[in-house]
Amino acid sequence: MELRHLRYFRAVAEELHFGRAAERLHIAQPPLSQQIRHLEAELGVTLFVRSTRRVELTPAGTAYLKRVEAILDAVDVAGLQAQRVAEGRQGTLAIGCVGSATYSLLPRLVRALREELPDLDVSVRGEMLAPAQLSALMAGEIDLALLRPPAGGAEIVVETIRHDRLFVAVPEGDPRWRGETVHVGSLRDAEIIVHAGHGRSVMNGIVAAICASAGFVPAIRHEVTETSTLVTLVAAGLGVAIVPEPTAALGVAGVRYLPLSPGVAPVDLAVARRADDPSPMIEQVLAVLRRLAQEE
């Protein structure tokens, strides 16, 4: 028995006329009648009552039709699903994200994916520092990583998608920070809150390099692993922090964000993926991500 026999049977059962069923199937009537007889012989039951005036389903034929419809519908659904997976429009996607992008780009990306690729099952892991993201990426725990370069090696493909200006998060109302900008040199005597160091955070190294360029070593008051905690400590008046501009989207009360000057280079936001992952789903998601990053 082949799927075509089931399709032949369904057509005759729906039309209750061998001639119309043959036209619908684009085959001649005699071969169709022969195939139905072969099906009945294989099953050992009579599926149709035939007369010169009409064709009717037998009780066995009626019961068989219900199962056949379910089988053929499942086959059609499986084919469509396979096509959507092959096109990258269906599947399971896990995204890791550095803190500052968690509050800005990531929500927009997830909303866009729901609208444009509704058959993707998307999960996110926010507030991940770059080393943790790379480990999760190589372990197959996430499929894409939104992080701050430098990152990865030959087994990782990293693509910069935007550049973020650096700001200083300061306690609102603190008289030491009344201006509209913060000069790097003015941080010499400030207590600094940073992301965890020792190779755990790219921003930690960036902060150290910025201060070194101004001739001093920052006075680190606290090291944290999450951007939300970092900003909360600033709001509590425990210090100031150099952060990428999108961090302001977190919206913690009691914090002002002032541009860092003079001429401090922005920091990159990149997307990383495994070099050996040819998934068309990844390409579909990257196309959406690139467009959103350009719109910001």
Side-chain angles (χ1 to χ4, degrees):
M1 186 185 302
E2 300 177 12
L3 279 176
R4 63 187 177 92
H5 296 129
L6 302 184
R7 298 190 192 279
Y8 291 168
F9 166 73
R10 182 174 65 177
V12 176
E14 291 176 349
E15 297 291 344
L16 294 178
H17 191 283
F18 278 85
R20 289 195 298 269
E23 291 179 4
R24 171 174 154 182
L25 295 166
H26 305 292
I27 62 174
Q29 180 176 337
L32 175 60
S33 299
Q34 186 178 33
Q35 292 294 333
I36 296 298
R37 291 192 186 94
H38 287 167
L39 179 61
E40 290 175 317
E42 183 173 347
L43 295 173
V45 299
T46 300
L47 299 173
F48 295 100
V49 176
R50 305 163 177 83
S51 70
T52 56
R53 300 183 61 182
R54 61 191 305 175
V55 175
E56 293 182 346
L57 281 165
T58 65
T62 299
Y64 192 59
L65 177 61
K66 292 180 181 179
R67 295 292 186 179
V68 166
E69 287 176 332
I71 291 169
L72 293 178
D73 287 346
V75 169
D76 291 341
V77 169
L80 289 173
Q81 184 179 32
Q83 290 173 2
R84 294 185 69 80
V85 170
E87 294 168 354
R89 305 186 68 82
Q90 184 169 340
T92 301
L93 176 75
I95 306 173
C97 191
V98 70
S100 55
T102 301
Y103 313 122
S104 57
L105 180 59
L106 186 61
R108 296 176 58 234
L109 174 62
V110 173
R111 286 195 298 268
L113 292 178
R114 284 179 177 174
E115 293 176 0
E116 300 179 33
L117 301 168
D119 291 328
L120 285 189
D121 182 9
V122 180
S123 62
V124 298
R125 293 178 59 183
E127 291 281 12
M128 294 183 71
L129 299 180
Q133 288 197 64
L134 293 174
S135 295
L137 192 61
M138 293 309 302
E141 298 170 1
I142 60 175
D143 304 293
L144 290 176
L146 290 169
L147 44 70
R148 304 286 177 190
E155 69 278 9
I156 298 291
V157 177
V158 180
E159 174 187 344
T160 298
I161 56 174
R162 78 176 186 200
H163 310 286
D164 293 329
R165 292 190 301 165
L166 287 175
F167 278 58
V168 180
V170 302
E172 192 170 42
D174 190 321
R176 293 174 297 176
W177 314 104
R178 291 176 176 173
E180 296 301 317
T181 64
V182 174
H183 192 282
V184 174
S186 66
L187 298 175
R188 183 185 302 271
D189 299 321
E191 294 181 321
I192 309 293
I193 305 169
V194 296
H195 287 90
H198 309 293
R200 298 172 61 190
S201 166
V202 172
M203 279 303 301
N204 184 288
I206 290 173
V207 170
I210 289 172
C211 294
S213 68
F216 68 95
V217 175
I220 305 300
R221 175 71 180 271
H222 294 283
E223 290 192 3
V224 301
T225 57
E226 296 184 347
T227 303
S228 56
T229 302
L230 180 147
V231 176
T232 300
L233 294 182
V234 172
L238 296 179
V240 302
I242 298 176
V243 296
E245 183 177 9
T247 304
L250 182 57
V252 174
V255 181
R256 292 179 66 207
Y257 295 90
L258 304 175
L260 186 61
S261 66
V264 177
V267 292
D268 294 337
L269 179 67
V271 59
R273 58 180 292 187
R274 292 183 297 277
D276 61 355
D277 186 356
S279 168
M281 175 188 66
I282 296 297
E283 294 302 328
Q284 291 277 2
V285 174
L286 286 176
V288 175
L289 178 60
R290 293 180 188 116
R291 188 190 73 240
L292 293 178
Q294 292 174 356
E295 291 174 355
E296 289 199 338

